[in-house]
Amino acid sequence: MTVVARDQADAIESHLDFHLAAGVDVVLVLDGGSSDDTRAILERYARHGSIHVLPPSAGELDEPEEAARMAHLAATEHGADWVIHSEASEFWWPLGGSLREVLESVPGRYGIVQSLSRHFVPVLGEGSFAETMIYRLSPQAPIGDPTSPWAPCRRFVRRAAAGRELRPLRGWYPIETLRFPVGPGTGDAYGPEAVGRALADGLLSVDTRLRDALRLLAEGREALTFPRPDAVEAAQLALDVAVLGEADVLRTHGRLDALEARLAAVESTLPAALMRKLRTAARAARPRGGPL
């Protein structure tokens, strides 16, 4: 696992404890210039050999570039088979077996595995984020606004083999990414009345998985177990994946609408025949409905 952390003292310790107990062998962390206790926490873990703290590259921090650099180091210096690039406020939850076991089951011809993101909302309350943020947003809630940060989305796990074409394994989501609004710029927290209304309207559901897992680790558990979803949970997951497909269609419509707007803006500068061909191509590319 690779992580770029900045001012994440309230989450990074839980993040490291959870993933080391969930089947991650090596964690490479880059401190992106924290002004809180993040660096001190990372150095403490590094002294115990749990993680490797990397110096940032020279110049302005470029997170995608740093992620690529850490993925390369994971493969070449630490023998990684798979690399998960995570944020400090994300927790990757395998659906049956550890992360190692889930990824070992992927056929060799596939190099990209999808993860379904789960958004938790900030709430008022005392205690750590995992103790208070036990309310997960329903995927149906933000479907009308594909630009929302809460919109249904997916994350990816990739094989570490360099120079190899990575073929995605589509239609299978063996991991959920639990995402918590922790750190700078997380926005306003919800009070009890707002949470109660959202629960009654089906916009939120109670999800205590991370809270319970961290409690077990605090009691001395060294490794976590992840049971397979039962029939009801599997059905709900299938519905949520379907909503993700609908969100993909909405995003595609939005991109095509933007393309048509740009075509209209330059219409007067292009020959009429060429303009008609471009518009025909744009209409042909628009999906007729259903997931891509």
Side-chain angles (χ1 to χ4, degrees), residues 275-287:
M275 201 61 217
R276 285 194 297 271
K277 290 181 179 180
L278 291 174
R279 288 191 175 279
T280 300
R283 285 193 294 271
R286 184 179 294 276

Side-chain angles (χ1 to χ4, degrees), residues 186-205:
T186 55
D188 296 331
Y190 292 82
E193 292 185 3
V195 169
R197 289 194 300 270
L199 287 170
D201 293 340
L203 301 180
L204 292 178
S205 60

